[in-house]
Every structure is written in structure tokens, then in C-alpha cells.
Amino acid sequence: YCASLQGAGIQVQVLETSSDLPDSAFVEDCALILDELAVLTRPGSPSRQPEVERLVPFLAPLRPLVQIQSPAALEGGDVLRIGKTLFVGSSTRTNSAGIKALTEFVQAHGYRVVPVPVPGSLHLKTGCTAVDDETLLANLEWVDLSDLKGLRILPVAEAEPWAANVLRIGDRLWAQTAFPRTLEMLYGAGYMVEAIDCGEFLKAEAGLTCLSLVYNTNPA
């Protein structure tokens, strides 16, 4: 994973292992880094909430920090950014208070927050990610995109329900080798895709976005 990103010219910083917090590999859930600020989340799983403070020394030099507070719950795996729109999954890990708190933090910076029902998966991005600014790759059995207008939807193959989580950085995509039909579809549509094997993380219902926090080092 890291080698593939570095090979594409992306700077990668590997954080210190937290052996007492086994879910902390899924660092995406604990923060959202926008150009203007970083949002420290409040994971819906109590066992994951201590992970957030471990990120503060890393994030504080990068952006002004704000933090989601109880009773709100928000996990980064439920936040899909396309331009200045944040699609936020209403899931078992992110509640309405979390969506409201995020809205209050970001609306002053010109962001629009759009709630998306997630009836079938752990997070929104388990079942839906963006492959460009106009197109979503989605498992329509797991997420309800009926209210999303103006976006093209590429459904994943029925035999590959976990394939909708791809990592997008710039004009490049990273997708799992475990989903050849989805890879073939993306290649055929002209996308620049790097196929990598992170199959061990699939056993924990984790995708490629879960393992990193992606941000612009020069937001200006």
C-alpha cells in the first residue's frame, strides 16, 4: 500500500503503531482533513474513541483543529468529499448529531453537507466512493443514492459486493486485486488504476480508503 502510493509520487508518513488500539490501522475514521481545517471525529464505537487523541500531535501543525463532541458520533469512513460537497453516511457509526456538528464546522468554509442513508454496510465508503468529480462507484444494495442528482453511478458486479471502495488521489485510483470485474470496468472506462492486494484488511471489512488520511500539503 505505502510503496504503491510512494511510487506515484505521493508523500507517505507512517504513524507509530498503537498496539493497545488494534483498530487504529483504520486511521481514516478518526479525522477529516480539509484544506481549511481538520475535524477530529468521535467514533461511534467507544473502543475506538481513544484513537482520536493519538492523532492530535500529527494534525495540529497541519490545520486548525475542531472536534466532534458527545452525543454526536462521526467516523471518517462515512465522509465522501467531492469538491466542496461532503456526502455523509447516516450509518451505525455516524448519527444525525454528528452530521449536524460537521455541517456547523464546515459551512462557513463553503462546504455543503449531504446526508446519505447507509442501510447495508458499516460506512458510506464501504459501499460508495468517487472515481471522478461526476461519477460514483457503488454497491446499490448497501447505500441509498436515490436523492443524489447529477452524478453518474457505476454499479459494482453482483459477485463483487465489496469492490466499491477505491482510493482516489488526484486523477489516479487504487483498487483491490480481489475484484477483477471491477478493475476491468474501470480500465475500460479509461481510468488510471493501480491494482494492489490488501486482502487481509478485507477480512476486517476494511477498504483502501480506511488506511490513510489524504490531504493537500499546499492547500493555498
Side-chain angles (χ1 to χ4, degrees), residues 4 17 38 48 53 57 62 76-78 80-81 86-87 99 118 123 142 148 156 162 168 200 208 210 220:
S4 181
T17 299
R48 299 202 61 190
E53 291 304 315
L62 302 179
D78 278 317
L80 172 61
R81 177 186 176 184
L86 303 179
F87 297 98
I99 297 174
V118 182
H123 292 125
W142 290 356
L148 273 62
V156 297
W162 297 92
R168 177 191 175 201
E200 288 298 300
L208 299 180
C210 304

Side-chain angles (χ1 to χ4, degrees), residues 30-31 33 38-40 52 55-65 213:
C30 294
I33 307 178
V39 180
L40 297 170
V52 176
L55 290 177
V56 171
F58 167 69
L59 296 176
L62 302 179
R63 302 285 196 275
L65 298 182
L213 289 166

Side-chain angles (χ1 to χ4, degrees), residues 11 13 31-40 55-67 81 84 105-106 109 111 213-220:
Q11 298 178 34
Q13 180 175 352
L32 171 67
I33 307 178
L34 303 174
D35 288 348
E36 301 85 358
L37 76 166
V39 180
L40 297 170
L55 290 177
V56 171
F58 167 69
L59 296 176
L62 302 179
R63 302 285 196 275
L65 298 182
V66 295
Q67 187 162 10
R81 177 186 176 184
K84 298 290 280 190
F105 285 142
V106 303
H109 300 286
Y111 291 90
L213 289 166
V214 179
Y215 64 96
N216 190 345
T217 56
N218 185 21

Side-chain angles (χ1 to χ4, degrees), residues 161-203:
W162 297 92
N165 182 275
V166 298
L167 175 65
R168 177 191 175 201
I169 303 178
D171 59 356
R172 300 176 68 103
L173 301 175
W174 281 261
Q176 293 261 23
T177 57
F179 308 121
R181 296 184 185 181
T182 300
L183 281 169
E184 183 180 1
M185 176 177 64
L186 293 173
Y187 289 139
Y191 291 103
M192 186 184 305
V193 187
E194 181 79 17
I196 56 176
D197 179 9
C198 287
E200 288 298 300
F201 288 104
L202 281 174
K203 297 176 182 178

Side-chain angles (χ1 to χ4, degrees), residues 25-32 75-77 79 125 209-213:
F26 311 127
V27 66
E28 173 189 49
D29 289 326
C30 294
L32 171 67
E75 294 194 359
V79 183
K125 284 192 281 193
T209 65
C210 304
L211 302 171
S212 57
L213 289 166

Side-chain angles (χ1 to χ4, degrees), residues 70-200:
S70 177
L74 178 80
E75 294 194 359
D78 278 317
V79 183
L80 172 61
R81 177 186 176 184
I82 301 180
K84 298 290 280 190
T85 299
L86 303 179
F87 297 98
V88 183
S90 177
S91 70
T92 58
R93 298 297 182 91
T94 295
N95 60 23
S96 59
I99 297 174
K100 182 175 183 291
L102 178 64
T103 303
E104 292 172 352
F105 285 142
V106 303
Q107 60 186 359
H109 300 286
Y111 291 90
R112 180 173 69 108
V113 173
V114 178
V116 180
V118 182
S121 61
L122 183 66
H123 292 125
L124 172 63
K125 284 192 281 193
T126 310
C128 175
T129 50
V131 292
D132 59 41
D133 285 348
E134 291 82 34
T135 310
L136 301 178
L137 179 67
N139 179 337
L140 297 177
E141 297 295 321
W142 290 356
V143 294
D144 183 357
L145 303 179
S146 57
D147 290 334
L148 273 62
K149 309 300 182 184
L151 292 172
R152 184 167 64 117
I153 309 297
L154 295 177
V156 297
E158 184 176 351
E160 298 179 354
W162 297 92
N165 182 275
V166 298
L167 175 65
R168 177 191 175 201
I169 303 178
D171 59 356
R172 300 176 68 103
L173 301 175
W174 281 261
Q176 293 261 23
T177 57
F179 308 121
R181 296 184 185 181
T182 300
L183 281 169
E184 183 180 1
M185 176 177 64
L186 293 173
Y187 289 139
Y191 291 103
M192 186 184 305
V193 187
E194 181 79 17
I196 56 176
D197 179 9
C198 287
E200 288 298 300

